[in-house]
Amino acid sequence: QVQLVESGGGLVEAGGSLRLSCAASGRTFSSTAMAWFRQAPGKEREFVARITASGFRTYYAGSVKGRFTISRDNGKNTVYLQMNSLKPEDTAVYYCAADPNAGADISKTSQYRYWGQGTQVTVSS
């Protein structure tokens, strides 16, 4: 069982930055691929970024590539999402997710077994 707790959300002006954190419980964190998703009001949850268990490989949605950076600290059981040059369309609840099976469908919510409760990010124009 893995429990995930996100933090770091808030209100920021367009062009600003935020760093989200996701603290994970359990002894398997260092062998688990992690990802961030987001869900805006009235929209489906969408993939944002993913990082392999080792941290050597990262993947991004086209809409955030070049602006967001996913990273992890396996010693602290934490994954991060650094968000720069934020836009109003980045406004959403951001969720941390864990994929213990390291599956191939990395952008699909069904690939992830564990989810956090979410943290709100609001970008004002």
Side-chain angles (χ1 to χ4, degrees):
Q1 187 75 13
V2 175
Q3 292 185 328
L4 306 173
V5 180
E6 301 98 334
S7 61
L11 174 64
V12 64
E13 291 184 351
S17 299
L18 281 175
R19 188 176 83 154
L20 306 183
S21 299
C22 173
S25 66
R27 292 175 290 179
T28 61
F29 179 79
S30 62
S31 61
T32 301
M34 300 293 296
W36 288 94
F37 283 73
R38 66 186 182 186
Q39 187 167 18
K43 295 188 177 181
E44 293 187 352
R45 194 169 297 188
E46 65 174 3
F47 172 78
V48 174
R50 175 180 168 109
I51 188 167
T52 56
S54 64
F56 289 156
R57 291 189 178 181
T58 56
Y59 307 86
Y60 296 93
S63 59
V64 307
K65 198 169 187 177
R67 300 188 297 121
F68 290 11
T69 302
I70 189 171
S71 62
R72 66 190 297 159
D73 184 337
N74 285 346
K76 295 183 178 180
N77 275 21
T78 302
V79 63
Y80 304 97
L81 185 68
Q82 178 66 44
M83 305 185 295
N84 298 329
S85 301
L86 283 161
K87 304 175 181 180
E89 51 263 44
D90 294 318
T91 295
V93 177
Y94 283 70
Y95 296 91
C96 175
D99 175 18
N101 297 322
D105 295 330
I106 66 171
S107 65
K108 295 188 182 296
T109 57
S110 58
Q111 182 63 55
Y112 298 84
R113 185 185 303 178
Y114 303 107
W115 292 83
Q117 83 290 348
T119 186
Q120 176 71 46
V121 171
T122 303
V123 185
S124 63
S125 57

